[in-house]
Amino acid sequence: MPIAERMIRRVADFAVIKNMFEEGRRLKERFGAENVYDFSLGNPDVPPPEEFRAALRELVRSDTLSFGYAPVAGHLPLRQALARRLSTEHGTPVPPEMVVVTVGAAGALNDILRALVNPGEEILTPAPYFLGYDNYAFLTDAVLKTAPTDARFHLDLAAIERAITPQTRVVLINSPNNPSGAVYAAAEINGLGRLLAAASDRLGGRIYLVCDEPYRRIVFDAEVAPVMAAYPHTVVVNSFSKELSLAGERIGYFAVHPQAEDAETIRDAAAAVNSMLVVNAPGLLQQAVARVLGAAVDVSAYRRRRDLMGAILNEAGYEFTLPEGAFYLFPKSPVPDDARFADMLKEERILVSPGRAFGVPGYFRISFAVPDVVIRGAREGLIRAMRRAAGA
Ligand code: PLP
């Protein structure tokens, strides 16, 4: 075998997702893209805000634009602006030195998990969870463990407590959540903070909280809780992939709570990983986003699509919780085998992701980061598939 043994299974798992994308492509070739309803990707389609385009144009015209290596932790003006923003969002003063600019939230998570977790130790995350976490745990040589959530996909603190072991180094949460759309309330986050403080004392080792929040600004009547205020041993991860629709431009960051145990050592180690892997985050983008930190995409477009898709799912008789944030719906599969139901939808030229990809079989994920016309076009197929499932 030409590739490392540890990669063999991982590459095979990857192939399942790759095949799903390829199959979507084949369907589009066969039936025409307008006759295929693709809800399988989390790729934002709402355009970036006009301020961002203007900032980029202005930068490109300027003579002072720098194309050299950037400082490993990022350009200082961006770190300063992010520190101000984080201090407001998290109810805790965050100095610029504790903020590191990264290649997306994915880069930030890889940096911080490698800095914190020894090979064989555990990362605990509530399920359903973003499927990238499996890969990041794999690259860290860590074990990804899961704890179930409640019926609305909110935190089940008792389940988290039961799942913590002496090997748990990190509890990794994601709010607003991909794929469930849950936004954890302040009371849940405060409860989690108390639980982690007590578990760390009981087990005699610090459990860190890593909070992944790239959908923070995509919320519908919900507020994302200030996680740093709830537990000092917290690292916040965020990016501009979703809030500015810049997913392909790969720009994100992490911030270590200044009062976290060994905060500076953790920041230095994670920044070192960043440097070892990629040297620095894209420089032009760092300079551009620093100018538009208050901006966000038009969330009303996502709200409209959520409501449109929600109304269709209701009409068809699917069971689901309306998402409080992000741009995914996570309905119950009307047949127990979610992969089979994804195939039934494929026969209707509707592409979704089975819940098992997110650690929760029996559900499926719909990404509503698609034009309204795609949602409307899928209505009849969703109704027909539900009828067929009821007869199955
Ligand atoms: N975390 C979650 C929950 C995500 O949904 C994604 C991307 O979809 C990421 C992290 C990675 O984001 P980025 O594009 O910023 O690397």
Side-chain angles (χ1 to χ4, degrees), residues 370-383:
V370 296
D372 299 19
V373 61
V374 178
I375 299 176
R376 286 206 191 86
R379 179 178 161 272
E380 283 178 21
L382 283 163
I383 294 172

Side-chain angles (χ1 to χ4, degrees), residues 269-356:
V273 178
N274 197 47
S275 165
M276 289 175 206
L277 284 173
V278 295
V279 184
N280 63 254
L284 174 60
L285 266 289
Q286 291 195 42
Q287 295 166 77
V289 295
R291 294 170 175 226
V292 294
L293 272 195
V297 290
D298 175 13
V299 176
S300 71
Y302 288 127
R303 180 194 289 271
R304 191 181 63 244
R305 292 162 181 183
R306 175 196 72 154
D307 292 345
L308 191 57
M309 185 49 111
I312 292 170
L313 293 177
N314 253 331
E315 181 192 352
Y318 290 89
E319 245 181 82
F320 66 98
T321 306
L322 206 59
E324 299 157 282
F327 42 63
Y328 309 99
L329 276 145
F330 200 56
K332 197 160 194 253
S333 166
V335 297
D337 182 344
D338 50 305
R340 180 157 165 255
F341 189 65
D343 282 342
M344 288 170 75
L345 285 174
K346 210 178 292 157
E347 287 164 26
E348 302 288 348
R349 286 172 276 116
I350 295 171
L351 306 176
V352 299
S353 312
R356 65 189 56 190

